[in-house]
Amino acid sequence: MATSLRCFLRSGKRAGLVAAQRGFSRSSAAAVQVNVRDALNQAMDEELERDERVFLLGEEVAQYDGAYKVSRGLWKKYGDKRIIDTPISEMGFAGIAVGAAMAGLRPICEFMTFNFSMQAIDQVINSAAKTYYMSAGLQPVPIVFRGPNGASAGVAAQHSQCFAAWYAHCPGLKVVSPWNSEDARGLLKAAIRDDNPVVFLENELMYGVPFEMSEESLSKNFTIPIGKAKVERQGAHVTLVSHSRFVGLCLDAAAVLAKEGVDCEVINLRTIRPLDVECIEGSVMKTNHLVTVEGGWPQFGVGAEICARIMEGPAFNYLDSPVTRVTGVDIPMPYAKILEDHSLPQVKDIIFSVKKTLNV
Amino acid sequence: MKTMLAIISNALCRITGKNAGARVVVSRSLSDFTPQATFDIKRCDLHGLEAGPPVRAELTREQGLQYYRTMQTVRRMELKADQLYKQKIIRGFCHLYDGQEACAAGIEAAINPSDHLITAYRAHGFTFTRGVPIKEILAELTGRKGGVAKGKGGSMHMYAPHFYGGNGIVGAQVPLGAGIALACQYQGNNQICVTLYGDGAANQGQIFETFNMAALWKLPCIFVCENNKYGMGTSVERAAASTDYYKRGDFIPGLRVDGMDVLCVREAARFAADHCRAGKGPIVMELQTYRYHGHSMSDPGVSYRTREEIQEVRSKSDPISMLKERLLGNNMASAEELKEIDIQIRKEVEDAAQYATSDPEPPLDELCNHVFASSPPLEVRGTNPWARLKSVS
């Protein structure tokens, strides 16, 4: 019962909310249910309180409480100076945010979705990412760019793109991609405290999903180190590596495969750049098989990078079969539900790929 | 006598389900109804122009009925979309146009079908006025194979000849529109492009870049700002240092127009089209309008404006009511006739919704098609390396 409930939660289905409403009993004295949205909200609230230089800007972040309500209550608490509504001018306000970071502030720049960050990408790459290098260490840019990334539900081609690979390609940027509430809270606090530009990729479908959080993870100084992955499930036969919402799908697939005697190790990357290759290598050297799972397109993507890095390192000799990448289909996102469902990895695709990789 | 004919026509309509009854009334119209009238319309505010559109507009009975039909169809179609969205038959984003019908109807009345038009995501009204049948619009919203984009585009991505969508990224459609105008100029075909954007998009840098090039190269482009006072949840005062959107083209002449009056919109659009066709370069037209719904179906639309404000616009400035009053007040149509049209339109929309909910979803082998144009079939990677999918142009 507890296992299946945990599966529900991990899979990121809204059924998790039902579990919460059933008065889910705490497994430890201090465990509490917090959804990803609230975890992000609390993290920002605490960091705004802790450091006066931190401020949030973006479209609808203040008086509307956030397009997805992630910044709910913050404007009421901190006012116009710290929580700033911008016009629809991404290139402009991203540049303004970077400038503010250069002059001593610590902005959180929200893109309503990362699709709109494309309009501002020059500021993210050329003005934020490269400046510390170009100035030989004179000019840091302590900024966080955050917002929902990847596919939602039925939002069609221009609103469904995953930007993990795009941003992770660039030296000078850190790129993080949380999955659950603990990730969201710990990584956002770490990102805000980091003196470098951090691209923080959230996921709209995860906002409303509740997860258990330990007392430790709810403490004010809880941060998760950027650049370290987490093994969510130990296993012996195959390593599944994923980030964001698809970690949940991997855990669901692992649960099904366990019944068939296939024991999966599931790694939650947490950070895309810098990639925790050692964690993946250590796992592959144990399991001898690797399957990567992501929502983004296959070409030049996160899975492609993992394949290359494994080949370049010691783990290659431990592989019993080539690495398998499970990815989004290599097409713009269609609108019709049946087509959209078939454009992204489903649990059955992961199960299929694991079996093919293991040749079972 | 008139009442008796109205009764007969109503009965005929119900029996035949067709326009037969209305024809009975129409054949009497030549002697009974005023065939044409001239109306005073609001003067436009001008920027960089010596003279503006006329302050009196001529309207024939036929035109009046046509504009009424168009606006009422868009209204009912949008309300049907609202209903379908709440039933979760439409998903994702859905930005409704009710309240703004006079803009689409007025512009279409002023331009030719061979002219071009591009707008942002609040596009269902223009999709209809540019010629896509209601059932193809609704079927696209419900994601079925009979949709105008075969279910692959959705609400924000519907296209038709000389109609370039439907665009999801705020402001991106403006340079596109100027590019279409460039093509018209290049090809010397005397066509123009109407390029629409909202008050929110008006603060996009790419619009100012576009203004500069359009003016420099004298592109035949009408830039239309549909100012409905709110960019999602942000009022114009909170977003723009200058809310005189018709002046923001600076060196481009501009008009500020009452966007709730279809005749005002038509006259202004005609004026603007003539300006462009005369080779004078681009022109900006700000249409002051209002949306009854929130920004999208996810936005209740009352956290940043009052219900009283919405109600006031509905009762005092509704574009369909305004036209109806003019037609009835000048004996250009009868109340029964308009009611008949309403009934017909309701039925058309109902039939279209029926189609949109019963048409099948697109087949899976459609998934990867239309990645490239004019290309031999190619293989597309599915979710895993063993999934080799086929894509044709």
Side-chain angles (χ1 to χ4, degrees), chain A residues 108-348:
Chain A
I108 305 169
C109 176
E110 178 178 302
F111 290 120
M112 197 182 280
T113 77
F114 265 94
N115 301 286
F116 314 141
S117 75
M118 275 204 284
Q119 298 196 300
I121 202 166
D122 174 70
Q123 297 290 8
V124 178
I125 306 301
N126 279 324
S127 301
K130 298 178 185 172
T131 296
Y132 193 68
Y133 180 91
M134 294 189 292
S135 66
L138 282 178
Q139 179 66 77
V141 184
I143 187 168
V144 176
F145 297 100
R146 50 159 289 273
N149 175 59
S152 172
V155 294
Q158 290 179 339
H159 289 79
S160 305
Q161 193 170 329
C162 176
F163 288 86
W166 282 41
Y167 288 114
H169 188 59
C170 301
L173 273 186
K174 296 190 182 181
V175 180
V176 301
S177 183
W179 164 55
N180 62 13
S181 300
E182 184 180 302
D183 291 353
R185 179 183 165 76
L187 287 171
L188 186 53
K189 285 162 89 67
I192 293 168
R193 296 182 191 192
D194 199 306
D195 288 335
N196 295 289
V198 181
V199 169
F200 192 91
L201 304 171
E202 300 163 9
N203 186 292
E204 199 223 314
L205 296 175
M206 296 304 293
Y207 282 150
V209 182
F211 291 92
E212 220 177 275
M213 290 188 74
S214 64
E215 194 177 326
E216 192 220 334
S217 69
L218 290 167
S219 69
K220 290 226 160 119
N221 281 313
F222 173 75
T223 58
I224 288 176
I226 293 179
K228 286 271 163 275
K230 182 180 179 203
V231 178
E232 298 285 351
R233 183 190 198 282
Q234 301 243 355
H237 300 148
V238 58
T239 302
L240 292 173
V241 180
S242 186
H243 71 100
S244 189
R245 186 170 87 83
F246 294 89
V247 174
L249 271 73
C250 287
L251 290 166
D252 287 348
V256 174
L257 286 161
K259 293 193 200 122
E260 299 179 42
V262 176
D263 192 27
C264 302
E265 180 142 296
V266 178
I267 297 178
N268 170 9
L269 281 174
R270 288 179 156 178
T271 301
I272 313 291
R273 183 181 184 116
L275 193 65
D276 190 352
V277 190
E278 269 153 35
C279 178
I280 305 173
E281 282 172 336
S283 177
V284 170
M285 292 197 281
K286 185 177 70 166
T287 67
N288 312 119
H289 298 89
L290 178 57
V291 176
T292 69
V293 183
E294 67 197 289
W297 293 315
Q299 300 196 34
F300 307 89
V302 174
E305 175 66 16
I306 292 173
C307 287
R309 300 279 277 268
I310 290 296
M311 283 208 293
E312 290 169 354
F316 174 71
N317 292 310
Y318 289 76
L319 283 174
D320 285 348
S321 64
V323 179
T324 299
R325 297 178 297 160
V326 178
T327 68
V329 177
D330 201 14
I331 53 171
M333 182 66 70
Y335 166 67
K337 185 165 197 325
I338 192 176
L339 297 183
E340 186 178 47
D341 288 347
H342 284 82
S343 302
L344 291 166
Q346 299 180 39
V347 173
K348 64 178 167 78

Side-chain angles (χ1 to χ4, degrees), chain B residues 279-309:
Chain B
K280 294 181 185 170
I283 185 166
V284 173
M285 212 165 87
E286 176 189 339
L287 300 179
Q288 295 193 301
T289 183
Y290 199 83
R291 54 167 163 81
Y292 295 144
H293 269 83
H295 163 74
S296 72
M297 288 302 297
S298 316
D299 169 35
V302 287
S303 65
Y304 48 86
R305 56 183 190 171
T306 61
R307 286 182 209 272
E308 288 73 39
E309 179 188 281

Side-chain angles (χ1 to χ4, degrees), chain B residues 119-132:
Chain B
T119 186
Y121 46 75
R122 201 173 301 282
H124 308 157
F126 289 102
T127 312
F128 175 70
T129 54
R130 287 263 94 194
V132 179

Side-chain angles (χ1 to χ4, degrees), chain B residues 258-292:
Chain B
D258 178 1
M260 303 306 268
D261 180 352
V262 67
L263 294 180
C264 257
V265 176
R266 186 192 72 185
E267 292 308 309
R270 264 186 196 153
F271 177 89
D274 291 342
H275 176 100
C276 288
R277 276 189 244 275
K280 294 181 185 170
I283 185 166
V284 173
M285 212 165 87
E286 176 189 339
L287 300 179
Q288 295 193 301
T289 183
Y290 199 83
R291 54 167 163 81
Y292 295 144

Side-chain angles (χ1 to χ4, degrees), chain B residues 53-298:
Chain B
V55 293
R56 289 170 67 69
E58 275 172 22
L59 181 69
T60 66
R61 185 185 126 81
E62 262 148 31
Q63 287 168 338
L65 290 174
Q66 190 201 326
Y67 304 161
Y68 182 84
R69 237 183 207 291
T70 299
M71 293 197 289
Q72 191 69 288
T73 302
V74 173
R75 173 70 57 94
R76 299 253 50 105
M77 181 180 72
E78 294 295 77
L79 294 179
K80 178 57 69 176
D82 168 283
Q83 207 179 46
L84 292 170
Y85 194 92
K86 286 171 177 155
Q87 293 172 309
K88 299 191 196 288
I89 300 171
I90 296 177
R91 23 186 312 269
F93 292 136
C94 190
H95 308 88
L96 298 179
Y97 198 68
D98 50 313
Q100 300 186 211
E101 297 87 353
C103 300
I107 289 172
E108 195 60 39
I111 62 175
N112 306 320
S114 56
D115 288 322
H116 307 259
L117 191 140
I118 186 170
T119 186
Y121 46 75
R122 201 173 301 282
H124 308 157
F126 289 102
T127 312
F128 175 70
T129 54
R130 287 263 94 194
V132 179
I134 314 166
K135 75 176 203 183
E136 284 180 43
I137 298 174
L138 290 181
E140 186 59 35
L141 293 179
T142 57
R144 308 302 166 101
K145 69 178 189 12
V148 63
K150 304 189 191 207
K152 294 165 81 165
S155 167
M156 302 177 288
H157 310 295
M158 299 197 238
Y159 300 83
H162 295 222
F163 174 61
Y164 305 81
N167 289 274
I169 306 300
V170 172
Q173 75 280 9
V174 177
L176 296 182
I180 295 161
L182 178 87
C184 293
Q185 187 187 66
Y186 190 107
Q187 292 166 337
N189 54 27
N190 201 37
Q191 292 162 8
I192 58 165
C193 184
V194 180
T195 302
L196 294 121
Y197 58 98
D199 50 277
N203 301 314
Q204 276 277 315
Q206 55 190 320
I207 291 190
F208 296 94
E209 292 184 13
T210 305
F211 282 166
N212 183 43
M213 285 182 275
L216 209 50
W217 301 333
K218 288 196 156 44
L219 301 181
C221 188
I222 306 177
F223 294 107
V224 180
C225 178
E226 284 183 294
N227 176 6
N228 61 18
K229 303 183 176 41
Y230 300 94
M232 194 161 154
T234 306
S235 66
V236 292
E237 299 78 35
R238 290 208 306 123
S242 161
T243 55
D244 289 333
Y245 297 101
Y246 71 115
K247 287 186 184 170
R248 289 179 65 184
D250 188 10
F251 35 76
I252 298 181
L255 300 167
R256 182 159 56 190
V257 182
D258 178 1
M260 303 306 268
D261 180 352
V262 67
L263 294 180
C264 257
V265 176
R266 186 192 72 185
E267 292 308 309
R270 264 186 196 153
F271 177 89
D274 291 342
H275 176 100
C276 288
R277 276 189 244 275
K280 294 181 185 170
I283 185 166
V284 173
M285 212 165 87
E286 176 189 339
L287 300 179
Q288 295 193 301
T289 183
Y290 199 83
R291 54 167 163 81
Y292 295 144
H293 269 83
H295 163 74
S296 72
M297 288 302 297
S298 316

Side-chain angles (χ1 to χ4, degrees), chain B residues 369-378 391-393:
Chain B
N369 292 340
H370 311 115
V371 172
F372 283 129
S374 321
S375 294
L378 63 121
S391 172
V392 298
S393 289

